[in-house]
Amino acid sequence: MKVPFLDLGAHHRGRFEAFHEILERTLSTSGFIGGPEVDGFEREWARFCETDHAIGVANGTDSIELILQGLGIGRGDEVIMPTNTFVATAEAVVRVGASPVFCDVEPDTLLMSGRTVEAAMGPAVAAIIAVHLFGQPVNMTEMAAVAERHSLVVIEDAAQAHGATWDGAKAGGMGHAASFSFYPGKNLGALGDGGAVTTNDSSLSDRIRSLANHGRDIGTHHGHLAVGRNSRLDGLQASFLREKLTGLDDCNAGRRSHHALYTECLPGLVRQVAVDPRAIAVHHLEVIRVPNRSDLMARLEAENIGFGVHYPVPCHRLEAYAEFRRTDTPVADRVCDEILSLPMYAELQEAQVRKVCEVIHAFTETLPPESASQAAGLADHQAADSAPAPT
Ligand SMILES: *Cc1c(COP(=O)(O)O)cnc(C)c1O
């Protein structure tokens, strides 16, 4: 039995006809850029995220950059973010002329926290980017408290968290603004690139809409108020996204049930990333921590099971980002060698999850006693790394 890491073919199979109809309709209306399909998707995406505004843009990276630019964050400003994120988060900060400050993450959730963000605080910090990594929301109660204490804005990078909630609130509506990616492999993916910004701030929404469309004065069309750029969601992708949005809640529910089955069937020596009880995660990735990762990878490969590593090198160790400020990041530095992402997508079959778990079981049984105790030690590290309870 083959178990791919991700199967977009299976994900789209039931919608081929709808996609063909969309293509025909777009050809007959020539609604390629902007138009009612983009407006419609923006309305539906804002409703889904429980925000007042959504602005469709060309991709997720642009959406982060446009939020920063719209907020006036740039040269001389610092922006705190976790070092274990996709490089795009840091890239967007550098592109607007600001500097990322890389902070550590908690050992159980692998997410930034009030504690790790406070450790990175400094006088030039203007914003925090809360990255809801792997489909798990950051503790936004703590982020809001830190932001208030230091008068900062919180931006959500929700590229992996479409539909996730923290304490009942939807990802996308908890920060000052949020960025989404609709890269095909994300929980909601276009048939190409796409992205969106969500916010409740009307004037920020207007500014971003203008910046993403050549700085155009939306009222006069030919007036240009700021040096903008071209970062638009096209009509075809907006239509595909509207079609796929109707299935997003079901897909997320499917991911949650696969996650529960992994929890039931994975051997005790393998640790899953913990989900906070106040969070509803959408399991963009199923991340485990294992000893002897390269041996397990070889085993999975031999059994035709796909996997990934998200991410093998923390941002502060990437050559392009070596110059930027960082805190000590002992957790991120260690876990990057232990993490492994297992197959996870809505169309995964129960038998496939069981197969992956069987192969991992067989693997842990062959571990020499010292790696077995190292594996057990993953739990001890966790206890040792944990912050004392807040007083
Ligand atoms: C995918 C991703 C992005 C970038 O989105 P693109 O649409 O690929 O530009 C940014 N941040 C995170 C955490 C992501 O996973």
Side-chain angles (χ1 to χ4, degrees):
M1 183 194 298
K2 199 175 160 172
V3 190
F5 177 65
L6 177 64
D7 189 347
L8 287 176
H11 181 52
H12 290 140
R13 203 159 293 136
R15 298 189 189 270
F16 277 16
E17 215 170 296
F19 293 152
H20 279 293
E21 273 169 29
I22 286 168
L23 184 56
E24 301 258 331
R25 190 170 69 229
T26 309
L27 285 171
S28 67
T29 62
S30 299
F32 300 120
I33 302 291
E37 291 294 320
V38 175
D39 297 346
F41 174 69
E42 289 179 340
R43 261 194 321 273
E44 288 161 14
W45 189 241
R47 191 178 317 137
F48 182 85
C49 296
E50 299 170 4
T51 58
D52 293 342
H53 307 282
I55 305 117
V57 298
N59 58 67
T61 311
D62 281 4
S63 66
I64 307 173
E65 197 177 323
L66 285 158
I67 292 169
L68 292 164
Q69 200 185 344
L71 288 168
I73 292 169
R75 208 155 298 286
D77 293 323
E78 289 185 335
V79 179
I80 298 175
M81 74 181 64
T83 190
N84 67 329
T85 176
F86 181 53
V87 69
T89 319
E91 192 176 47
V93 170
V94 177
R95 299 285 310 168
V96 299
S99 300
V101 182
F102 299 115
C103 73
D104 206 11
V105 290
E106 294 296 333
D108 50 352
T109 59
L110 305 189
L111 298 174
M112 69 204 299
S113 65
R115 177 183 74 96
T116 67
V117 170
E118 281 286 5
M121 201 52 65
V125 173
I128 299 166
I129 300 184
V131 183
H132 304 313
L133 202 66
F134 311 143
Q136 298 206 59
V138 166
N139 181 331
M140 293 301 283
T141 316
E142 289 183 8
M143 287 309 116
V146 175
E148 188 173 317
R149 201 172 306 134
H150 300 277
S151 306
L152 308 173
V153 291
V154 180
I155 298 162
E156 296 172 76
D157 179 341
Q160 302 188 2
H162 313 71
T165 66
W166 171 261
D167 206 10
K170 273 260 174 88
M174 296 187 279
H176 200 96
S179 82
F180 285 93
S181 164
F182 304 121
Y183 176 81
K186 307 284 164 138
N187 289 41
L188 178 63
L191 307 188
D193 274 316
V197 173
T198 53
T199 184
N200 292 319
D201 177 339
S202 302
S203 65
L204 178 65
S205 169
D206 289 347
R207 244 173 359 256
I208 289 173
R209 194 175 285 290
S210 167
L211 286 170
N213 193 8
H214 304 292
R216 190 161 260 152
D217 178 351
I218 307 290
T220 68
H221 192 75
H222 288 296
H224 294 265
L225 307 170
V227 178
R229 57 192 295 179
N230 176 359
S231 180
R232 298 179 296 224
L233 181 67
D234 64 74
L236 203 50
Q237 296 306 337
S239 301
F240 293 142
L241 286 164
R242 293 182 88 176
E243 165 64 25
K244 290 185 66 180
L245 178 54
T246 61
L248 177 58
D249 283 332
D250 284 347
C251 283
N252 284 341
R255 288 170 182 269
R256 274 193 287 276
S257 84
H258 301 321
H259 172 75
L261 189 59
Y262 272 122
T263 305
E264 188 187 315
C265 299
L266 281 169
L269 290 183
V270 164
R271 299 190 55 76
Q272 281 172 302
V273 171
V275 179
D276 189 290
R278 288 161 288 183
I280 298 178
V282 292
H283 305 286
H284 174 61
L285 296 168
E286 176 65 37
V287 177
I288 58 169
R289 290 168 67 180
V290 285
N292 301 43
R293 182 177 65 187
S294 53
D295 294 346
L296 177 56
M297 285 173 163
R299 185 78 168 241
L300 292 169
E301 211 163 316
E303 299 277 355
N304 276 315
I305 294 170
F307 56 84
V309 177
H310 302 87
Y311 295 89
V313 184
C315 288
H316 70 266
R317 297 208 315 239
L318 297 171
E319 202 175 322
Y321 297 88
E323 70 189 89
F324 298 106
R325 193 163 76 78
R326 55 174 287 224
T327 62
D328 280 340
T329 52
V331 176
D333 283 318
R334 190 181 57 247
V335 301
C336 64
D337 296 325
E338 299 171 349
I339 47 176
L340 188 69
S341 308
L342 300 178
M344 175 53 87
Y345 47 93
E347 297 72 21
L348 201 56
Q349 302 294 306
E350 186 176 321
Q352 291 178 303
V353 176
R354 290 189 189 280
K355 166 77 182 182
V356 174
C357 294
E358 272 162 32
V359 169
I360 297 175
H361 257 287
F363 167 77
T364 56
E365 265 153 33
T366 65
L367 285 178
E370 64 271 19
S371 9
S373 61
Q374 185 198 335
L378 293 174
D380 299 339
H381 285 317
Q382 185 162 317
D385 289 335
S386 289
T391 48

